[in-house]
Amino acid sequence: MDNALILLTTAILFCAIIFCYKVIVMSSRRRWHQSPLLQLEVPPGSLGWPFIGETIEFVASAYSDRPETFMNKRRHMYGKVFKSHIFGSPTIVSTDAEVTKFILQSDAKTFVPSYPKSVTELMGKTSILLINGSLQRRIHGLVGSFFKSPQLKAQITQDMQKYVQQSMECWGDDRPILIQDEAKNIAFQVLVKALISLDPGKGMEFLKKQFQEFIVGLMSLPINVPGSRLHRSLQAKNRMSKFVKNLIKSKRDKGRIISTVAQDVVDVLLNDPNEQLTDDLIADNIIDMMIPGEDSVPVLITLAVKYLSDCPAALQQLTEENMKLKRSKAKLGEQLSWNDYLSLSFTQDVITETLRMGNIIIGVMRKAMRDVKIKGYSIPKGWCVLAYFRSVHLDETNYEWPYQFYPWRWQHKEMMTSSNFTPFGGGQRLCPGLDLARLEASVFLHHLVTQFSWKAEDDTVVNFPTVRLKRRMPIWVKRR
Ligand code: HEM
């Protein structure tokens, strides 16, 4: 009897929740329809279950070995732009290249970045990843032009070669080499060198340890109480921030002011001619810049090794191209420069194809600041937008055999500039680290294929919460 009562009460409660939800959703739908801008044009789709929306389906699909299922099902039912409800917000999902381009090109009056609460708490209010308007444009411009400067390119190429060489010297044929770990270690060293001119040593180890503690909090519950995951990550960030602020202070004490050539991103921000940026803002941004830079490059390298291992024809062509360059440089007795690496056209095509297939950043989230109309679709003010790159990169109307690793498709270079290819985003927030990422991957692949042949063990790509290889990509190498 008791059980029956509990069941009945639960059923009534459940129905009440569904009813309230429907009333809220229907009334808000009616409101949109009454708005002159949005008449019946909000993209079709489903808001799913009360409160949780379609998040469970989205996450389950992302975790599975067919991560396209969620998007493909809805694209089939509603078209390339549809509404959903994921991660706590009603969301318009765009898998359409033109709509995505519009979103990326828009300024902060139309769309602003939107991240889960744990991420915004960890980044802080002045992070480049969150700020908008003139301050974002200024920091973006300063960092972007530094990463493009010939002086940084020369320095980073040298550093990268040194770190790769040091790492590969220890490789033997008596144990598998975990490419993901090797690449992670090297990429972190390069990043920290570019950001704060720190060489490997105790300071670097300290930062790495704190950063690992910090980064796990990005995917945590937004509860900041002592002992919670988020709290521990914030503490790690504070320790890193203190470390970077000490470094800034010693630079200021040494009188590193306008007119000195910038050695790293801290110098660039310290020397901003327009406005004095505070030490807090600089330190926070240095740490926040590690977020997009730290994981993405190692994953790019690891995926390239995975795809090459599965495609012998591409591996052979890549090896021949790199061997040729190595021989010609050895004859001249010269070191390889940034431009040498980028002149390896097939190697670049391999990296481009890896970016397309790998979708290291699956998409970007924004929030609409006003009612927006794009290509006949309406996005109501306050709604989130997920510009989902992955579906565009794997759409067979954009790419023939989209699931096949086929670097030769990039011999038609014009494809790279089309809106069908946005691994680094676009518009005002286009990734300032894109050249650096390509260079790091080129240097790693060059040294790998010119010094070793290898046999890869089986491994699978995991796509959620971040892209990575399940077994960290073990390979057995043999020195050439
Ligand atoms: C394969 C490697 C990489 C990929 C796929 C990648 C991808 C992206 C994407 C898609 C965005 C745009 C985010 C948005 O629009 O909200 C972005 C922004 C950014 N990336 Fe990268 N990135 C990579 C490497 C790097 C590296 C090495 C750095 C070096 C520090 C870096 C620094 C940044 C920064 C600072 C932003 C924010 C720019 C802004 O909002 O103004 N990225 N990246």
Side-chain angles (χ1 to χ4, degrees), residues 128-129 136 140 289 292-293 296 361 364 366 423-425 429 431-432 437:
I128 182 172
L129 302 168
Q136 181 269 337
H140 188 116
M289 275 183 223
S296 49
I361 308 286
V364 294
R366 299 283 191 264
F424 293 108
R429 292 189 178 268
C431 174

Side-chain angles (χ1 to χ4, degrees), residues 103-104 112-115 127-131 136-137 139-141 143 147 187 190-191 194-195 265 285-286 288-301 351 355 359-366 389 422-438 440-441:
I103 295 165
L104 291 172
V112 294
S114 164
Y115 293 98
S127 165
I128 182 172
L129 302 168
L130 294 178
I131 50 173
Q136 181 269 337
R137 284 198 296 277
I139 298 181
H140 188 116
V143 175
F147 281 150
V190 172
L191 188 64
L195 294 174
V265 175
N285 271 287
I286 292 294
D288 291 342
M289 275 183 223
M290 290 181 192
I291 302 171
E294 188 261 352
D295 192 52
S296 49
V297 176
V299 174
L300 172 62
I301 291 172
I351 294 170
L355 287 162
N359 291 292
I360 299 162
I361 308 286
I362 52 168
V364 294
M365 296 282 287
R366 299 283 191 264
F389 304 155
T422 54
F424 293 108
Q428 288 172 359
R429 292 189 178 268
L430 174 73
C431 174
L434 83 161
D435 287 339
L436 182 60
R438 276 187 177 276
E440 290 189 54

Side-chain angles (χ1 to χ4, degrees), residues 11 36 55 105 113 147 176 236 272 276 293 303 310 347 390 409 448 466:
T55 310
Q105 301 290 335
F147 281 150
D272 178 13
Q276 190 85 57
L303 286 174
D310 295 344
T347 307
R390 193 182 161 95
R409 72 174 86 236
L448 177 65
T466 54

Side-chain angles (χ1 to χ4, degrees), residues 57-127:
E57 267 178 279
F58 178 83
V59 172
S61 155
Y63 260 122
S64 75
D65 51 3
R66 305 256 349 131
E68 268 61 68
T69 322
F70 180 89
M71 294 297 169
N72 285 353
K73 194 171 147 194
R74 283 151 187 82
R75 272 161 68 104
H76 190 70
M77 285 195 296
Y78 311 122
K80 287 186 178 179
V81 179
F82 53 88
K83 71 167 172 275
S84 180
H85 190 291
I86 39 181
F87 301 119
S89 308
T91 302
I92 305 286
V93 180
S94 163
T95 64
D96 177 282
E98 270 179 67
V99 173
T100 294
K101 185 176 177 187
F102 178 93
I103 295 165
L104 291 172
Q105 301 290 335
S106 299
D107 63 17
K109 288 191 194 108
T110 310
F111 291 110
V112 294
S114 164
Y115 293 98
K117 193 155 184 285
S118 57
V119 178
T120 49
E121 286 248 346
L122 273 173
M123 285 179 190
K125 289 190 186 72
T126 53
S127 165

